[in-house]
Amino acid sequence: MIDYTADDNELAAVVAHELSHNLLDHRAKLAVVKKGKIAAIRATEEEADRLSVWLMANAGYDPQAAIRFWQRYGKATGLGILSAPTHYRWKTRVHMLGEEIAAISLVTPKKGIRPPPLLKTAVSPK
Ligand SMILES: [Zn+2]
């Protein structure tokens, strides 16, 4: 997947998605799910997508690169992992990313950082 990125902004999109899974402790949360595992995984994928664009924006990357990457990757792979039952279709993911990027622009930065809503316990700069 990393080989498929066109530039540093798109690479940041992939890394930010994976970093979001770690920050949101998804592995531990999924480990205790007994029923509805597929839906639970899909929910963690959505959270990782949504948080990823906040991380990108706060780190100085263009969050629109996430849309460019997932759109191109989705179109090219078609029946790849993005259409697995655990993942939303790429068009849905791209739509959610657009919603989240719009939400970022509505938050006033504190010392250049916009606190992501998904990281409620995050320490924001004073
Ligand atoms: Zn993921």
Side-chain angles (χ1 to χ4, degrees), residues 17-18 21 44-45 48 87 93:
H17 176 94
E18 297 309 323
H21 280 307
T44 62
E45 292 305 323
H87 290 64
R93 293 182 78 172

Side-chain angles (χ1 to χ4, degrees), residues 26 37-49 86 88:
H26 283 162
K37 197 93 170 179
I38 288 174
I41 291 172
R42 195 182 303 132
T44 62
E45 292 305 323
E46 176 177 349
E47 278 189 349
D49 279 346
T86 51
Y88 286 106

Side-chain angles (χ1 to χ4, degrees), residues 35-107:
K35 288 184 176 178
K37 197 93 170 179
I38 288 174
I41 291 172
R42 195 182 303 132
T44 62
E45 292 305 323
E46 176 177 349
E47 278 189 349
D49 279 346
R50 290 191 183 275
L51 179 56
S52 71
V53 286
W54 290 82
L55 299 181
M56 291 175 72
N58 283 331
Y61 292 99
D62 175 13
Q64 292 288 340
I67 289 180
R68 289 194 297 273
F69 177 78
W70 292 114
Q71 211 160 33
R72 195 177 66 252
Y73 188 83
K75 283 178 182 172
T77 56
L79 295 173
I81 63 158
L82 298 180
S83 64
T86 51
H87 290 64
Y88 286 106
R89 290 179 58 233
W90 67 267
K91 284 181 183 174
T92 306
R93 293 182 78 172
V94 165
H95 179 76
M96 286 189 301
L97 289 168
E99 283 179 348
E100 208 62 35
I101 292 168
I104 293 171
S105 66
L106 300 177
V107 174

